[in-house]
């Protein structure tokens, strides 16, 4: 493809995102739903060439990694350890309430048992990328309910460290030995990275804290991508690898890194969300729209329950509980990845997951933006309900 055409198509996409971002600012909402709709519109209007599409795909992956890295910068290793210990029961509730609907839906739709288990993974995972974007856009990173949201996302990634190697081995017909080896490698890699981040984060912070802002940006970005790449190759989430790098950095270097990386995060995060819309084939929507909508409604409620109860246990008031529940609703990058694994055994799983992700990625950000208006309505409804 000629360089001029590449620049032309990429420029058109980024300019469209700029206009969408301005519209979201005027509406006072996070731009995530509008980015997703912009992706659908761009995909319907014209077909991107292979080179721009590959660039956007790569940019989307970088966006997910940078979102989780900057979220990790907000917390110390001790805060993370305490949150995980406090919210273990909530993690079990999350697994029961949000994995089960996907499995049941798969059975009802006539999927094979393995495809149904894959659909369970699709409905289980909150998009930590979208959740962190909501928190950043709405200025809620320091809120009391935010550690609850963070704990849910991290616990889900711990479960995925065991889930993905097992289903991948089953899909390729691996032996029990192969499944066991993959599982041990994934869990071992996660445990080692977690231990190093908690134990030796202060050493990394001193090493990375150089005077030059340029050298700091290059060093941090290189380290984040390196760790994310190693994590992905070891069947651990690339995003959780980046998150652990953010946890490891603390003090002055964390503040400087946040300032340096933020513009890159904003750019690639926008690309990350528009990529979802570009992926959706509109001709496949009618056949999966009804089951995807029903599944989105059911699992929005179940995920909301997890966030509400978790925040309540942490002593957060009603408005914060509502924000925790709605911020956890969106599914995203990993749900699409899991669905992609099963296309060979259930071709409709891909379109179903894409529509489902799109719906939840719009429901969550919109509801959480209007917490001030919706929470009083819930309170009045609760007061009006007669005691049983």
């Amino acid at each position: 493809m000629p360089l001029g055409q590449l620049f032309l198509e990429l420029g058109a996409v980024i300019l469209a995102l700029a206009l969408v971002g301005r519209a979201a600012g005027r509406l006072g909402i996070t731009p995530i739903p509008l980015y997703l709709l912009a992706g659908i519109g761009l995909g319907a209007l014209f077909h991107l060439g292979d080179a721009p599409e590959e660039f956007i795909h790569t940019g989307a992956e970088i966006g997910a990694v940078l979102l989780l890295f900057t979220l990790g910068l907000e917390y110390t290793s001790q805060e993370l350890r305490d949150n995980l210990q406090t919210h273990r029961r909530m993690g079990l509730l999350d697994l029961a309430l949000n994995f089960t609907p996907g499995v049941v839906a798969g059975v009802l739709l006539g999927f094979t048992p393995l495809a149904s288990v894959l659909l369970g993974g699709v409905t289980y995972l909150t998009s930590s990328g979208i959740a962190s974007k909501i928190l950043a856009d709405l200025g809620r990173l320091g809120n009391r309910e935010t550690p609850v949201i963070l704990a849910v996302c991290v616990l889900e990634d711990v479960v995925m460290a065991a889930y993905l190697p097992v289903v991948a081995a089953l899909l390729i017909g691996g032996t029990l030995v192969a499944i066991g080896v993959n599982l041990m490698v994934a869990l071992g890699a996660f445990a080692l990275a977690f231990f190093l981040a908690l134990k030796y984060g202060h050493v990394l912070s001193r090493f990375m804290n150089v005077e030059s802002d340029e050298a700091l940006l290059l060093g941090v970005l290189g380290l984040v991508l390196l760790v994310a790449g190693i994590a992905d190759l070891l069947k651990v989430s690339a995003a959780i690898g980046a998150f652990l790098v953010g946890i490891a950095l603390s003090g002055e270097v964390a503040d400087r890194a946040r300032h340096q990386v933020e513009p890159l995060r904003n750019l690639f995060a926008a690309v990350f969300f528009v990529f979802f819309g570009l992926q959706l084939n509109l001709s496949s929507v009618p056949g999966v729209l009804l089951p995807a909508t029903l599944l989105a409604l059911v699992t929005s409620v179940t995920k909301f329950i997890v966030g509400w109860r978790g925040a309540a246990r942490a002593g957060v008031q009603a408005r914060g509980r509502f924000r925790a529940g709605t911020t956890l609703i969106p599914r995203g990058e990993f749900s699409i990845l899991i669905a992609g694994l099963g296309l060979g055994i259930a071709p409709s799983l891909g379109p179903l997951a894409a529509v489902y992700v799109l719906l939840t990625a719009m429901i969550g950000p919109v509801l959480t933006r209007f917490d001030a208006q919706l929470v009083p309505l819930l309170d009045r409804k609760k007061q009006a309900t007669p005691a049983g």
Side-chain angles (χ1 to χ4, degrees):
M1 170 180 284
L3 186 62
Q5 184 179 348
L6 172 64
F7 286 167
L8 180 66
E9 294 188 9
L10 289 176
V13 171
I14 294 173
L15 184 59
L17 294 180
L19 296 174
V20 163
R22 291 178 65 179
R26 291 188 177 184
L27 293 172
I29 64 173
T30 177
I32 294 169
L34 299 185
Y35 286 154
L36 292 165
L37 293 174
I40 294 174
L42 289 169
L45 289 174
F46 65 95
H47 176 68
L48 292 175
D50 292 338
E53 190 169 317
E54 182 63 27
F55 178 88
I56 290 174
H57 184 191
T58 304
E61 298 294 338
I62 295 174
V65 164
L66 292 181
L67 280 168
L68 267 294
F69 168 66
T70 54
L71 184 60
L73 289 173
E74 299 295 328
Y75 298 92
T76 66
S77 58
Q78 184 60 46
E79 287 172 339
L80 177 64
R81 186 187 298 113
D82 292 343
N83 287 335
L84 292 179
Q85 291 175 348
T86 302
H87 298 295
R88 284 177 298 179
R89 289 185 179 178
M90 186 179 64
L92 294 174
L93 177 68
D94 181 30
L95 181 62
L97 289 183
N98 292 288
F99 190 85
T100 305
V103 175
V104 172
V107 173
L108 294 176
L109 291 170
F111 289 176
T112 65
L114 183 53
S116 298
V117 169
L118 287 170
L119 186 55
V122 169
T123 60
Y124 168 58
L125 277 172
T126 289
S127 171
S128 46
I130 296 178
S132 62
K133 178 67 172 170
I134 293 171
L135 295 172
D137 285 346
L138 300 181
R140 296 174 179 172
L141 288 170
N143 284 18
R144 287 189 63 199
E145 73 275 4
T146 299
V148 176
I149 298 167
L150 172 65
V152 171
C153 293
V154 173
L155 287 167
E156 287 177 352
D157 279 318
V158 172
V159 173
M160 282 299 104
Y163 172 88
L164 286 175
V166 171
V167 296
L170 290 173
L171 284 168
I172 62 176
T175 64
L176 289 176
V177 174
I179 293 173
V181 170
N182 286 340
L183 180 59
M184 292 303 295
V185 169
L187 291 178
F190 179 85
L192 178 61
F194 192 69
F195 171 76
L196 292 176
L198 297 183
K199 189 74 174 178
Y200 298 105
H202 63 285
V203 177
L204 179 64
S205 297
R206 286 200 300 268
F207 176 76
M208 299 298 295
N209 197 13
V210 295
E211 291 187 8
S212 168
D213 288 340
E214 180 180 354
L216 174 66
L217 173 62
L218 293 173
V220 167
L221 184 60
L223 179 64
V224 169
L225 294 177
L226 180 67
V227 172
I230 294 172
D232 186 72
L233 291 173
L234 293 175
K235 307 299 183 185
V236 180
S237 161
I240 199 63
F243 174 79
L244 290 174
V245 174
I247 288 292
L249 297 179
S250 60
E252 180 187 357
V253 69
D255 294 333
R256 292 179 60 205
R258 186 184 303 107
H259 178 73
Q260 293 294 321
V261 171
E262 194 172 74
L264 287 175
R265 181 202 66 187
N266 292 339
L267 168 63
F268 286 112
V271 172
F272 167 72
F273 296 116
V274 81
F275 181 67
F276 278 145
L278 286 171
Q279 279 187 309
L280 186 60
N281 181 1
L282 292 180
S283 64
S284 65
V285 171
V288 298
L289 184 58
L290 179 59
T293 301
L294 292 175
L295 201 53
L297 292 175
V298 170
T299 56
S300 291
V301 172
T302 54
K303 191 67 79 168
F304 179 85
I305 291 171
V306 171
W308 180 280
R309 293 194 60 176
R313 286 175 58 86
V316 179
Q317 297 301 311
R319 191 170 170 184
R321 298 178 196 178
F322 181 88
R323 289 193 295 255
T326 52
T327 303
L328 289 171
I329 288 173
R331 275 65 162 187
E333 61 277 22
F334 296 120
S335 295
I336 297 293
L337 169 64
I338 292 168
L341 294 174
L343 291 180
I345 58 175
S348 62
L349 185 58
L352 174 63
V355 175
Y356 170 78
V357 164
L358 181 63
L359 290 172
T360 58
M362 289 192 293
I363 291 171
V366 170
L367 288 178
T368 195
R369 167 61 181 83
F370 295 104
D371 61 306
Q373 293 79 17
L374 294 174
V375 171
L377 295 177
L378 290 176
D379 286 340
R380 284 199 293 269
K381 184 176 180 181
K382 183 177 180 181
Q383 291 172 4
T385 302

